[in-house]
Amino acid sequence: MPGIRRSTLANGLRLLVAPVTGTSRVAVAVHYRVGFRVEPPGMEGFAHLFEHLMFLGSESLPDGAFFHHVRDTAGLASGRTHQDYTEFYQVVPRSALDQALFAEADRMRAPSFTDKALDEQLAGVAAEIREMVVERPYGGMPWPYLAGLLYTSFANAHDGYGDPDRLRQATVEDCAEFFDRYYTPGNAVLTVAGDVDPDDVAERVERHFGDIPAREAAAQPDLSEPGFFMDQTASFTEPGVPATAITIGQWLPDPAADLPGYLAHVVLARMMARQVTPDGLPAVSTSCGFFGPLDARAPDALLLTTLVPPATPAVQMVGAIRTQWGMWAKGDISGEVSAAVSELVSEHHRDHDDLETRCRALGRLETLFDRAELLDELPRLLAEVTPAQVARAAARLHGAACAVMTIEPGRRRTRPKPAPTQRAEDRAPARGARLPTAATAPRAVPPREEQPRPVLGEHAESTFGNGLRAVAIRAGGAPVVELRLRLPAGPAGWRRPDRLELLAQALGRRARLGVHERGAGGELTVGTDGQWLDLAGYATTDRLDDWLAVLSEVLRPAPTAGQAAPGRSLPRGGPPARIADDALRGHLLGPAPAEPGGRDETHRSVVVPGGASLVAVGDVEPAGLLSRLEDALGWWEGRPEPVPALAEGGGVLLVPREDLSNVLVTFNAPEPPGGPQDVAGYLATAVLGRYHRNRSIRDAPGTTGLGASGYEAFLGRDVLLDFPRAFIQLKRPKEQVPDLFTEVLDRLPELTATPPDPEELERAREYCVMEMLWGLDSPAKIADLVRIGLSLGQGPDLLTRLYDRLGQVTAEEVVAAATATYGRMPLPATVVGDVEADWLADEIEREVTEIEGA
């Protein structure tokens, strides 16, 4: 990657500019050197609560206006609180860079805190805690509960989520004090990554941030720990979990003082994770740090988690881990070290070739260690880790005490009770802490600038002799190639989604084992959404041929023991939208003329090159890359099974699901043929319901969807079976379902036939233009975007073609596309939820067909 430009403003704000060529968006991150370790007793969870409050208002962006530029440009904005830092980040089109900088500067200058906002965010934080810790299986393991076993000081050991009841004691004055203590320019790092000029960025940053007054930040807490010399254990129970979970934690070396020793432990953790089960899954999952490697100052921990049969004593697992440490401390581990390093290096390259991930990692490393450059040094430093260093790390862990947390099946849920803490009523107030006051006049939000046209890198396309369509694209700066192979499931897979799932699982196991056994680094996963069978992953450029050899092995039929049960069945427990589409596909295809012979027959019908597409993206010459792909897959043969004539008629398909609190209703229609209409259809979808200013919201004030009752609606376009489909999805309580069939369907002709006014059309057009730019953030996203384009029958230039054509679409074309696409919904509607067929048929006066087996 190009070098990092570093500078410091007069008020102490540090600026990092990281050029990333070829991107159409920019990432902006602000890291404050304040995490939940700074919280005093009695204020557990306040740092996280404060992070939420920072999005709600500032002197020039009140009442949630912070998100306006993000929503209008299809960008993203979020924040996270960790042990030693809080980060805020955005990814927006380059044309919105000034707006992103303005927004971050405005809340660094003077955020606004109100009792109302505090109450709202307390409710939001309580819901997050409930979801992450209380309602999730094995919730709170290992974070945050294991910290109380590993550490003794309040800063390190306390629960960074906190208790919602205690948090309700927080006041607006507490917010002002916390802001004054820690949210100072000199306590922050601002990072900008993208295809930008560093001098231009520096000028913009000075303009937006330069007048924020300098303030001294409060001192960081003392994180020193005495250590422990005996194992610390705790055991808890939870109903409904199938196995006992055990997490073992041991201290890591301080990366600031002993980086080589720390990285040796990172390699050692990966070696442990490479101990796989017969399915190719890790027997033990590992993590260096609660939130990942180099994510906190010392102390931090190496964590190992495994599932074991109920009633298995934790001491047995601890003994097995220590035995493994001891073996590696004394044996020849050069092969294991080499394989682990290969995986770590390839993952690092791949992960940080993404715009957002790179920007956030640079800011984090600068904040914690004053070494943003470490991000690009890590592949070399990992490669320099020796077997002797890893053996010493293993010997250290073999003799060290550990913390052990166990959650096992039980009749009731038990967890550690929060330690009693008391807020210090006589704590010294911050230096003149005050609520930030509004300026005499709010500053004007800068306008967006002209957006550069997106450019796809050098690319080549070919259809191999076996019918496989392949595209190779040069992009990215890392020595990694992204690969995506997509196969239509075909009638055999569409009729039997249960067998398609079994096939994906079997191929996934073979893929994991193949990549693991070859030790080539990279990744190969297999999955299905019911419409496609997707094989996806990445390989380092020097081990691409090994990865392709694994792919070839996965594609070859392999005999399996046993056959699937006869009769069509929908997979259990899947997402409601997947269940609905599976039901619709099976209904339209009708019964099979003869029952297929099981998973093997499904493999022979689905895994064929004819009709499939392969995308490869990396810093490799495209024509040569296509040649390597053809050499590896030229043996593959087979043509897709023809799609039979589809059943006609409307009606309603009902899939009962008693476990759903809301009912999902989907209206479906085949799209008209493509051509220019295709681009107009994309724009029509946005006008009707694809973004926050769509027509359905505008025409029904106070609602969020198509119906007068405020139904939440999502409009989309995809491929179903072998034709393009438009759909409308709505999720509502059971008693409101009948209204959907009147209010929504009756309103569609009116909505589609009304021409958009110029302002509405321009906003939707701009949103669509910006929405597509995510596809250039990384080689992985380019591969995903091109895969989508090929699925729709388009070429690799889909992004640039849409970008150019969107500016030419007229209001008349949008009306024609909307009427043809959404004006009527002739295909069967699908209903998934806790609904009775007779009741629904009586209420909506339509034929309802119940689909069994879900």
Side-chain angles (χ1 to χ4, degrees):
M1 289 291 185
I4 302 164
R5 178 80 67 86
R6 178 187 278 103
S7 60
T8 303
L9 276 62
N11 57 16
L13 175 66
R14 286 179 285 174
L15 169 65
L16 304 177
V17 183
V20 181
T21 58
T23 61
S24 292
R25 302 204 299 175
V26 291
V28 175
V30 181
H31 287 75
Y32 293 91
R33 200 177 181 209
V34 50
F36 49 76
R37 278 171 162 169
V38 308
E39 297 165 348
M43 296 188 69
E44 297 91 327
F46 188 81
H48 177 223
L49 171 63
F50 191 87
E51 169 223 313
H52 282 242
L53 289 167
M54 285 286 282
F55 285 99
L56 294 190
S58 54
E59 63 181 21
S60 302
L61 297 170
D63 302 323
F66 176 92
F67 287 102
H68 286 177
H69 73 281
V70 178
R71 294 189 180 116
D72 286 348
T73 60
L76 67 88
S78 190
R80 294 184 183 180
T81 306
H82 288 222
Q83 288 131 298
D84 301 314
Y85 69 89
T86 300
E87 66 174 346
F88 302 91
Y89 56 93
Q90 303 180 51
V91 184
V92 296
R94 269 187 281 168
S95 58
L97 173 59
D98 251 3
Q99 293 180 328
L101 294 173
F102 175 89
E104 294 295 349
D106 205 58
R107 62 179 172 182
M108 182 184 288
R109 180 180 295 106
S112 59
F113 309 119
T114 65
D115 290 327
K116 178 182 178 182
L118 191 55
D119 289 341
E120 290 175 352
Q121 290 312 300
L122 280 167
V125 167
E128 181 179 339
I129 294 172
R130 188 168 57 251
E131 176 187 353
M132 300 296 291
V133 178
V134 179
E135 296 177 351
R136 174 178 294 187
Y138 304 107
M141 182 183 208
W143 177 258
Y145 296 133
L146 188 65
L149 294 175
L150 279 164
Y151 310 122
T152 58
S153 72
F154 175 83
N156 296 317
H158 80 274
D159 180 351
Y161 270 131
D163 178 80
D165 291 333
R166 291 186 185 177
L167 281 173
R168 289 189 180 93
Q169 301 174 22
T171 65
V172 169
E173 287 72 25
D174 291 327
C175 297
E177 181 179 7
F178 196 79
F179 173 80
D180 189 73
R181 281 180 176 272
Y182 299 109
Y183 279 71
T184 73
N187 208 34
V189 174
L190 168 64
T191 309
V192 178
D195 199 346
V196 294
D197 175 13
D199 292 332
D200 175 66
V201 171
E203 187 276 326
R204 294 172 188 258
V205 169
E206 180 63 40
R207 176 165 18 105
H208 291 297
F209 292 84
D211 65 345
I212 300 176
R215 303 193 316 276
E216 183 179 352
Q220 293 290 310
D222 179 9
L223 301 181
S224 59
E225 285 278 345
F228 55 94
F229 304 99
M230 296 179 62
D231 291 350
Q232 308 295 307
T233 63
S235 183
F236 310 102
T237 58
E238 181 168 333
V241 296
T244 296
I246 301 174
T247 293
I248 301 169
Q250 293 182 280
W251 282 18
L252 286 165
D254 183 353
D258 181 15
L259 184 58
Y262 182 94
L263 295 180
H265 284 73
V266 172
V267 174
L268 187 64
R270 176 50 57 93
M271 288 167 56
M272 184 63 77
R274 296 192 80 254
Q275 311 299 299
V276 300
T277 67
D279 283 348
L281 295 170
V284 178
S285 65
T286 65
S287 172
C288 281
F290 279 105
F291 303 103
L294 298 172
D295 194 79
R297 296 184 291 146
D300 209 356
L302 188 156
L303 309 171
L304 304 98
T305 301
T306 187
L307 295 177
V308 298
T312 300
V315 66
Q316 179 177 325
M317 189 62 200
V318 174
I321 294 294
R322 285 198 168 113
T323 298
Q324 185 64 75
W325 292 151
M327 292 172 59
W328 282 339
K330 299 177 181 178
D332 179 7
I333 57 174
S334 55
E336 289 93 334
V337 169
S338 176
V341 167
S342 176
E343 288 185 1
L344 289 166
V345 169
S346 63
E347 283 181 14
H348 182 88
H349 280 307
R350 194 267 185 124
D351 292 345
H352 297 96
D353 214 10
D354 175 79
L355 184 66
E356 175 200 324
T357 306
R358 179 169 177 78
C359 180
R360 293 170 58 194
L362 289 170
R364 180 187 79 244
L365 293 173
E366 183 73 9
T367 301
L368 295 175
F369 308 111
D370 298 318
R371 285 189 63 191
E373 293 85 357
L374 183 59
L375 184 69
D376 294 327
E377 297 170 2
L378 277 172
R380 173 182 58 81
L381 295 173
L382 284 167
E384 292 174 355
V385 173
T386 67
Q389 289 174 310
V390 177
R392 285 195 294 272
R396 171 184 175 272
L397 294 177
H398 178 262
C402 61
V404 184
M405 177 179 173
T406 303
I407 296 180
E408 56 188 355
R411 300 181 63 179
R412 63 188 185 93
R413 187 181 193 275
T414 61
R415 291 296 190 275
K417 297 186 182 301
T421 57
Q422 187 70 33
R423 291 186 59 169
E425 298 300 334
D426 59 346
R427 70 185 189 278
R431 307 162 310 281
R434 60 177 180 80
L435 288 173
T437 55
T440 305
R443 304 176 187 226
V445 179
R448 284 200 296 276
E449 301 173 3
E450 183 178 354
Q451 175 65 34
R453 181 179 184 271
V455 178
L456 189 67
E458 177 190 357
H459 58 279
E461 182 178 359
S462 176
T463 299
F464 300 157
N466 56 10
L468 177 64
R469 184 183 183 187
V471 173
I473 302 169
R474 186 194 290 272
V480 170
V481 179
E482 296 284 341
L483 296 111
R484 306 287 187 271
L485 176 61
R486 168 162 281 188
L487 304 93
W494 295 328
R495 281 195 175 100
R496 290 300 304 261
D498 53 340
R499 291 184 181 172
L500 186 62
E501 284 285 354
L502 290 173
L503 175 63
Q505 293 170 15
L507 297 183
R509 288 193 293 269
R510 291 167 59 187
R512 288 191 298 270
L513 286 170
V515 170
H516 176 268
E517 289 170 357
R518 287 181 178 266
E523 179 184 72
L524 175 56
T525 63
V526 184
T528 179
D529 62 355
Q531 176 67 27
W532 311 98
L533 184 69
D534 283 312
L535 295 88
Y538 67 95
T540 55
T541 51
D542 61 335
R543 302 300 294 272
L544 176 60
D545 292 335
D546 288 326
W547 191 95
L548 291 172
V550 175
L551 176 63
S552 293
E553 294 168 3
V554 171
L555 296 176
R556 296 180 190 275
T560 57
Q563 298 293 336
R568 182 174 182 274
S569 177
L570 301 180
R572 288 182 175 274
R578 166 74 189 277
I579 295 290
D581 286 351
D582 282 342
L584 180 58
R585 278 187 285 261
H587 176 81
L588 293 176
L589 283 171
E595 182 65 26
R599 197 177 72 204
D600 295 344
E601 180 62 32
T602 305
H603 187 291
R604 284 188 286 272
S605 299
V606 174
V607 186
V608 296
S613 59
L614 175 63
V615 181
V617 182
D619 192 12
V620 182
E621 193 272 319
L625 183 53
L626 283 180
S627 179
R628 294 171 69 180
L629 297 177
E630 187 169 18
D631 289 344
L633 300 178
W635 62 269
W636 191 20
E637 296 180 349
R639 312 302 298 179
E641 181 184 349
V643 179
L646 303 180
E648 298 181 357
V652 177
L653 305 179
L654 169 64
V655 184
R657 281 281 298 272
E658 297 179 357
D659 58 322
L660 298 180
S661 57
N662 282 316
V663 178
L664 180 74
V665 178
T666 308
F667 300 106
N668 305 280
E671 280 209 82
Q677 185 86 352
D678 185 59
V679 181
Y682 179 32
L683 189 51
T685 303
V687 169
L688 291 174
R690 268 299 301 273
Y691 78 121
H692 71 291
R693 299 192 189 189
N694 65 65
R695 177 176 297 183
S696 60
I697 295 175
R698 186 202 68 183
D699 288 355
T703 72
T704 56
L706 285 166
S709 300
Y711 306 126
E712 294 183 6
F714 175 79
L715 278 70
R717 303 159 70 230
D718 60 10
V719 173
L720 186 83
L721 301 176
D722 62 345
F723 62 87
R725 171 187 66 156
F727 62 87
I728 303 174
Q729 285 183 344
L730 307 102
K731 186 180 294 185
R732 297 303 293 165
K734 170 186 173 179
E735 60 272 13
Q736 297 182 9
V737 169
D739 294 337
L740 298 177
F741 286 86
T742 53
E743 292 185 11
V744 173
L745 293 183
D746 290 349
R747 195 172 177 218
L748 280 174
E750 169 203 346
L751 277 173
T752 56
T754 304
D757 59 53
E759 182 180 4
E760 179 186 17
L761 181 61
E762 192 54 38
R763 283 179 173 173
R765 190 197 317 274
E766 188 174 50
Y767 179 87
C768 289
V769 166
M770 301 302 177
E771 182 182 39
M772 295 181 297
L773 300 180
W774 69 267
L776 295 179
D777 283 358
S778 68
K781 291 176 181 174
I782 293 173
D784 290 336
L785 180 68
V786 174
R787 175 175 61 182
I788 293 171
L790 297 183
S791 303
L792 297 172
Q794 305 294 330
D797 61 344
L798 173 65
L799 186 150
T800 52
R801 188 178 68 82
L802 285 175
Y803 189 93
D804 294 337
R805 174 73 175 116
L806 276 169
Q808 305 165 7
V809 177
T810 65
E812 290 74 20
E813 289 176 304
V814 170
V815 170
T819 302
T821 303
Y822 294 102
R824 61 190 185 93
M825 293 277 141
L827 293 177
T830 56
V831 177
V832 180
D834 189 7
V835 176
E836 300 81 29
D838 292 342
W839 173 83
L840 182 60
D842 291 341
E843 290 289 330
I844 65 176
E845 298 181 348
R846 293 170 185 252
E847 181 181 353
V848 176
T849 302
E850 184 171 332
I851 306 295
E852 298 181 355

